[in-house]
């Protein structure tokens, strides 16, 4: 065992370390009677806050100030405007001028045809013109026969205006009136209450301004959507060559 201990180079160092641990340490005369003060924990260095220029909203809140889950200061997506107003009977002076004149004639003389065309275009399904035109014609004749004016067809046609407004995110009549008056009530921010209000406005627009409403919807759809009948693939015809004569 003695030979093994002498041959190991690590045993002397381990013994010396154990001897040093067993020896008591004597306090030095210079530090006798004094209790060493505990070293203060080093405080973490805080990064210098960079000064960022912040914008301010109209309500006096900084941009990015969060209230609940909504962020105040972010731009709110507004509704798009209609291509023409409700009373623009002849439309606008652009490439659709002739189409606008046709819409005006149909809305005045044959509103059933204009409504069927609008419903077919918004539905994007060719062949549905008859399914919308015939019920409208029946309600039109009932209103004219029993009440003297077209009061039954608007009950059937006003959902088409709501579908157009929702599809293209258009501004409703109620929202347009409140915006022009500078009144932004709670129903404007509440999506569900606003939609109920706008649906009621769509119904009232068709009741009191039915021909103008149909014409406005027709002008809007003709500028935004092609007719579904025009989506068919073109057919190519091969014309036979003409009579040829052999030259001498």
């Amino acid at each position: 065992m003695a030979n093994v201990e002498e041959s190991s180079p690590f045993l002397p160092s381990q013994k010396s370390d154990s001897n040093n641990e067993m020896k008591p340490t004597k306090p030095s005369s210079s530090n006798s009677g004094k209790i060493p003060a505990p070293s203060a924990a080093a405080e973490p260095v805080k990064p210098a806050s960079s000064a960022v220029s912040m914008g301010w909203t109209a309500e006096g809140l900084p941009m990015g100030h969060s209230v609940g889950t909504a962020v105040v200061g972010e731009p709110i997506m507004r509704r798009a405007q209609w291509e023409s107003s409700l009373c623009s009977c002849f439309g606008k002076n652009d490439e659709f001028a002739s189409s606008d004149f046709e819409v005006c004639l149909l809305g005045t003389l044959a509103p059933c045809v204009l409504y069927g065309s609008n419903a077919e275009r918004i539905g994007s399904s060719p062949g549905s013109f008859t399914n919308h035109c015939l019920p409208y014609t029946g309600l039109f004749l009932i209103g004219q026969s029993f009440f003297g004016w077209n009061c039954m067809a608007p009950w059937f046609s006003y959902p088409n205006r709501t579908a157009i407004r929702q599809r293209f995110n258009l501004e409703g009549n109620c929202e347009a009136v409140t915006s022009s008056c500078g009144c932004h009530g709670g129903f404007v921010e509440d999506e569900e209450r606003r939609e109920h209000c706008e649906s009621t406005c769509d119904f009232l627009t068709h009741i009191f301004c039915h021909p103008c409403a149909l014409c406005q919807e027709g002008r809007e759809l003709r500028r935004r959507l092609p007719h579904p009948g025009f989506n068919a693939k073109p057919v190519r015809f091969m014309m036979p060559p003409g009579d040829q004569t052999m030259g001498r």
Side-chain angles (χ1 to χ4, degrees):
M1 293 297 294
N3 296 332
V4 176
E5 292 178 356
E6 291 177 358
S7 62
S8 178
F10 298 100
L11 290 178
S13 61
Q14 294 175 357
K15 289 181 179 180
S16 61
D17 294 338
S18 61
N19 294 334
N20 294 335
E21 291 176 359
M22 295 297 294
K23 292 180 181 180
T25 56
K26 296 181 181 180
S28 60
S29 60
S30 60
N31 296 333
S32 60
K34 295 182 180 180
I35 300 175
S39 59
E43 296 181 359
V45 180
K46 298 180 179 180
S49 60
S50 58
V52 180
S53 59
M54 299 179 65
W56 297 88
T57 62
E59 291 80 7
L61 297 175
M63 299 287 286
H65 179 75
S66 60
V67 179
T69 57
V71 178
V72 179
E74 290 185 352
I76 301 174
M77 186 179 66
R78 294 186 176 275
R79 300 289 191 268
Q81 300 291 331
W82 291 75
E83 291 290 339
S84 57
S85 63
L86 186 64
C87 298
S88 298
C89 300
F90 297 101
K92 298 190 300 184
N93 188 15
D94 54 2
E95 64 271 16
F96 293 93
S98 59
S99 178
D100 294 342
F101 184 72
E102 177 188 355
V103 167
C104 182
L105 291 179
L106 289 176
T108 304
L109 303 177
C112 57
V113 177
L114 180 58
Y115 172 73
S117 176
N118 294 344
E120 185 180 20
R121 196 179 292 260
I122 190 63
S124 300
S125 57
S128 60
F129 172 82
T130 307
N131 298 333
H132 294 87
C133 183
L134 290 181
Y136 183 94
T137 304
L139 294 175
F140 176 81
L141 294 177
I142 291 174
Q144 292 289 347
S145 301
F146 291 94
F147 302 100
W149 64 293
N150 187 15
C151 60
M152 300 295 295
W155 293 77
F156 177 72
S157 62
Y158 88 91
N160 195 26
R161 183 178 184 86
T162 304
I164 296 173
R165 183 175 48 79
Q166 292 177 353
R167 179 168 181 176
F168 302 111
N169 193 28
L170 297 175
E171 186 180 40
N173 295 334
C174 188
E175 186 177 358
V177 171
T178 54
S179 299
S180 61
C181 296
C183 303
H184 299 279
F187 72 93
V188 177
E189 286 78 11
D190 191 355
E191 187 68 25
E192 184 177 359
R193 295 177 60 188
R194 176 173 56 185
E195 189 57 37
H196 284 301
C197 180
E198 295 298 349
S199 299
T200 305
C201 289
D202 294 338
F203 172 71
L204 294 177
T205 302
H206 269 258
I207 287 291
F208 295 104
C209 303
H210 182 63
C212 296
L214 286 180
C215 292
Q216 185 186 24
E217 296 162 12
R219 293 190 299 267
E220 192 74 24
L221 289 175
R222 296 194 180 201
R223 282 172 169 80
R224 292 182 179 270
L225 293 177
H227 195 275
F230 297 156
N231 295 333
K233 296 182 179 180
V235 179
R236 297 181 179 181
F237 294 93
M238 299 296 295
M239 300 297 296
D243 298 337
Q244 298 180 359
T245 58
M246 184 179 296
R248 294 180 179 178

